[in-house]
Structures are given as structure tokens and as C-alpha cells.
Amino acid sequence: MYLLISFSSIFLNGEKNIVIYFCVFDVVSQVDMQEMDNAVNQVKKEISQRYDFRGSNASIELGENNVKIAAEDEYKLETMIDMLRTKMAKRGVPLRCLELGKVEPATKGTVRQELTIKQGISKEVGKKIQAAIKATKLKVTAQLQDDQVRVAGAKKDDLQAVIQMLKAGDFGVDLQFINMR
């Protein structure tokens, strides 16, 4: 159950009732998978057109929460990762969401690597966010819910101050602020 805040007076049958609403927003770390798919498709197209990748066995595939890259050598693998990061940046996908796996040898002398797409806020990061919000001494509360942090307060100005503080801080993940009401 969540309360929304806004101070207003309601007169019913000559009596004055005060209704209190909380302003709320959620702090999340999400990746737009459609934009990620577009970035991977752009890398595929660039691989097919680049001279240094002609005739090579380079491939890139997007899974549900990972990207699988295969190439003939580690140099081409690194080049493909760099191309992916460039395309992600152009499309507004946060670069911090990629966690590089180790380079593994594959068949016929090729190498492969799996990149994990991190989504959601872990419990450790959520606790750091809660501690940072408490340290501001603003009249807001922060609750850790699964992979997001819900922040509630009486004034929108306090919530906006919390958002500015979180944007300025570095928590190791890319933060988005949604459901502001």
C-alpha cells in the first residue's frame, strides 16, 4: 500500500477533512532492449561492410540478457566490442550495463566472449542509495523493492533534491527515475 501526498482540504457536510497524499518516484536501472537490439543490428551491418572483417567468421547475437560475440582472434573481438559500445552510446543505451565475460577459445581457432546485460538494482547498491538518501536529512523515505528503490516524501521539492543528489552520485549502475507522481 502506497500513500500519495499533496495537501488539500475537503469540506464534507460542513466538516473540514484533510487528505494527505505522498509524492512518490522509483529509482531503477533498466536497459531499453529494443535500442540494444538496434545497436547489435548496426554492428552486424558494419561487420558485413568493413574491409578488415571481409571473409572472417565474426558474429554477434543478442540473447535475452546477454550478447554473444565470436571472432577469429582477440583483436577482432575487441574491435567488435568497441563498435558495440559506440553504437550503444549513439542510441542512448548506458555503457555500464555491459559486464564483460572472459574470452574463451572456440572451434577452429576462433574465440568467443559473452557480455552480460545488467538490469535492476542489486541489494548492495540499493542499500547504498538508501544510506545516501538518509544522509541528506530530507523528509523522505526510501524502500528497497526487488530491483528498484521507491522514494516517498511530502514535498516534490524534496524528491527533486533527492533526484539531483542521486544523479550527482556514483553508485556503479546507471539510474533512471520513473513513476513520479
Side-chain angles (χ1 to χ4, degrees):
M1 179 174 137
Y2 303 104
L3 300 172
L4 298 170
I5 288 211
S6 156
F7 293 99
S8 62
S9 297
I10 300 175
F11 292 96
L12 298 174
N13 299 332
E15 294 179 25
K16 185 176 180 182
N17 295 330
I18 297 177
V19 179
I20 299 174
Y21 297 104
F22 276 119
C23 297
V24 179
F25 72 90
D26 295 327
V27 182
V28 297
S29 179
Q30 298 175 336
V31 176
D32 186 357
M33 291 306 285
Q34 182 61 50
E35 289 298 330
M36 190 68 179
D37 184 46
N38 292 341
V40 168
N41 288 335
Q42 285 180 340
V43 171
K44 284 181 185 178
K45 186 175 181 181
E46 187 171 340
I47 288 170
S48 68
Q49 294 175 349
R50 279 181 56 155
Y51 180 76
D52 55 342
F53 281 96
R54 291 265 159 103
S56 70
N57 245 357
S59 68
I60 182 169
E61 307 241 343
L62 178 65
E64 193 166 319
N65 285 323
N66 60 10
V67 178
K68 294 179 182 174
I69 299 177
E72 293 174 347
D73 55 25
E74 288 188 33
Y75 173 75
K76 287 184 179 176
L77 198 67
E78 291 297 322
T79 304
M80 290 172 62
I81 292 171
D82 188 45
M83 285 191 294
L84 179 62
R85 285 184 172 153
T86 303
K87 302 301 181 190
M88 287 171 59
K90 284 183 182 177
R91 302 202 69 83
V93 179
L95 300 178
R96 289 183 177 182
C97 73
L98 284 184
E99 187 175 290
L100 302 178
K102 68 175 196 170
V103 178
E104 303 170 349
T107 59
K108 298 181 183 175
T110 62
V111 291
R112 65 177 169 226
Q113 187 171 15
E114 186 171 322
L115 312 177
T116 306
I117 301 170
K118 297 187 296 185
Q119 294 200 60
I121 297 175
S122 67
K123 291 207 183 287
E124 297 83 29
V125 174
K127 287 180 183 179
K128 286 181 189 176
I129 291 172
Q130 282 181 316
I133 291 172
K134 277 188 178 181
T136 63
K137 306 273 188 196
L138 294 172
K139 292 186 178 182
V140 295
T141 60
Q143 297 174 333
L144 185 60
Q145 298 176 344
D146 294 331
D147 59 351
Q148 66 183 17
V149 177
R150 176 154 291 187
V151 181
K155 298 179 185 174
K156 280 194 176 187
D157 292 340
D158 289 346
L159 295 182
Q160 289 173 347
V162 168
I163 289 173
Q164 292 305 316
M165 183 272 306
L166 291 175
K167 282 183 179 178
D170 182 23
F171 297 99
V173 294
D174 206 54
L175 300 176
Q176 291 91 29
F177 308 98
I178 60 170
N179 296 336
M180 179 80 159
R181 7 175 228 254

